[in-house]
Amino acid sequence: IRCVVPASDIQCRVVKHLDKKIIAIDELISSKNELVRLLKEKQISLISQSVTRGLHPEALMKNCGIEWLGKIPAHWQVLTNHQLFAERNIKCTDPDAVLLSVTKYLGVILQSQAEELNLATVAPAETTEGYKVVHKGDLVMNIMRAKDGSYGISGYDGVISPAYCIYYPRQEVNPQYLYYLFKTPMYMEIFKNYSTGIAEHRMRLYPVNFFKIPAVVPPLEEQNEIVMYLDKRVKDIDELISLTQQQIEKLKEYRQSVISEVVTGKVAVG
């Protein structure tokens, strides 16, 4: 490989120039990465506060009797998941049903979308016969990855792998509220604690244990209010995170172009 090697004094000037430029760019990248981290923390805190304390700080609070839940608004209930959900275990007989996929960050999406986004973890099925039927509003859970947050509320009628669990509400609730609740760090830790298996990579959250877990349940009107509030706030923060991440990528591209132009002599340095 042939390399362009300028005179020693020019090399020194190039290095000095690039050191100054690259440090400045790296500091910008670092500050934007920190902004992304803070935004994600803000989002998690916002969701956790809303689904366990509500949107009305003046509300009377009570000790719910569960140590890890602490105090909740006095008019809210604590119900077990068995009171909230029943398991749907219907096998599909249609060989060409709509195939769904469960992802950690996007929840339940179409299998075709998962493939486009390179999120599919299994090859497409040749037939959907024998797959589990999913209805809109169902909680769909990858029981082996539940401890990592791999579950979501389906916005589709379709089918999912027989290895997954599908839960439908027993009573009138806003499923999206429960999704926000279950995606909090506190509940993800509880899901992990209730998962069982002979090794870490084989830990599964089986229905019998999922049903034992208590859930904080406000009145339906408040559930809807919380979901409307969080949908908007989470979307706003997600957009800001996305914009910041795009800026980081642009800065990385600029960093590389600065190096390339200087070391190839396209830009003169003093």
Side-chain angles (χ1 to χ4, degrees), residues 82 101 116 241 243:
H82 189 259
S101 181
E116 289 174 7
I241 289 172
L243 177 61

Side-chain angles (χ1 to χ4, degrees), residues 3-261:
C3 298
V4 177
V5 182
S8 178
D9 61 324
I10 297 177
Q11 291 181 41
C12 290
R13 291 202 302 271
V14 165
V15 169
K16 185 177 180 180
H17 174 82
L18 283 178
D19 280 350
K20 184 178 179 181
K21 294 282 286 187
I22 297 309
I23 286 173
I25 296 170
D26 283 348
E27 286 176 350
L28 271 175
I29 291 173
S30 178
S31 67
K32 290 190 177 294
N33 277 323
E34 177 65 8
L35 175 58
V36 169
R37 186 187 68 79
L38 291 172
L39 285 169
K40 288 180 177 179
E41 281 187 2
K42 172 67 176 177
Q43 189 177 80
I44 290 170
S45 174
L46 182 72
I47 294 171
S48 298
Q49 177 72 21
S50 300
V51 297
T52 59
R53 300 291 183 270
L55 304 179
H56 306 286
E58 73 282 0
L60 293 175
M61 305 296 285
K62 68 178 180 182
N63 193 321
C64 70
I66 300 171
E67 185 177 350
W68 55 269
L69 275 176
K71 290 187 176 182
I72 63 172
H75 61 291
W76 288 21
Q77 293 179 286
V78 175
L79 302 175
T80 64
N81 281 338
H82 189 259
Q83 292 173 287
L84 289 169
F85 294 101
E87 186 178 4
R88 191 188 303 284
N89 198 7
I90 302 172
K91 297 296 177 65
C92 176
T93 57
D94 182 357
D96 299 309
V98 176
L99 186 58
L100 306 176
S101 181
V102 180
T103 67
K104 179 177 179 178
Y105 297 108
L106 300 178
V108 181
I109 60 176
L110 298 171
Q111 175 71 16
S112 56
Q113 291 177 313
E115 291 168 8
E116 289 174 7
L117 297 170
N118 293 319
L119 296 175
T121 56
V122 294
E126 293 182 2
T127 176
T128 54
E129 285 187 83
Y131 273 51
K132 287 185 177 179
V133 172
V134 176
H135 292 168
K136 289 180 181 177
D138 286 352
L139 171 64
V140 185
M141 180 176 292
N142 180 339
I143 64 171
M144 191 167 68
R145 296 180 180 172
K147 64 184 185 299
D148 301 319
S150 188
Y151 41 83
I153 304 299
S154 180
Y156 310 92
D157 290 326
V159 297
I160 198 75
S161 165
Y164 291 8
C165 282
I166 298 99
Y167 303 102
Y168 65 91
R170 286 180 180 270
Q171 53 185 278
E172 192 176 10
V173 294
N174 188 322
Q176 188 64 20
Y177 163 80
L178 293 169
Y179 172 72
Y180 278 128
L181 179 69
F182 293 157
K183 292 292 280 191
T184 60
M186 175 173 63
Y187 267 89
M188 289 177 67
E189 185 65 23
I190 292 300
F191 280 12
K192 181 179 180 180
N193 292 341
Y194 275 73
S195 297
T196 57
I198 59 174
E200 178 69 23
H201 67 283
R202 290 186 175 274
M203 300 285 281
R204 289 171 169 81
L205 181 58
Y206 292 105
V208 64
N209 288 330
F210 171 74
F211 285 141
K212 293 177 184 176
I213 298 171
V216 184
V217 185
L220 182 60
E221 184 179 345
E222 275 190 72
Q223 293 178 41
N224 295 335
E225 183 184 14
I226 290 168
V227 168
M228 285 181 62
Y229 171 76
L230 287 178
D231 280 351
K232 184 179 186 310
R233 293 296 305 274
V234 167
K235 181 183 177 183
D236 289 345
I237 295 173
D238 279 342
E239 288 177 351
L240 187 51
I241 289 172
S242 178
L243 177 61
T244 307
Q245 288 173 332
Q246 290 173 32
Q247 292 171 345
I248 290 169
E249 290 307 309
K250 293 287 186 185
L251 282 168
K252 288 179 178 178
E253 291 173 9
Y254 175 60
R255 184 183 190 277
Q256 190 58 47
S257 70
V258 166
I259 295 172
S260 298
E261 289 177 351

Side-chain angles (χ1 to χ4, degrees), residues 1-6 263-264:
I1 299 173
R2 294 177 178 271
C3 298
V4 177
V5 182
V263 299
T264 56

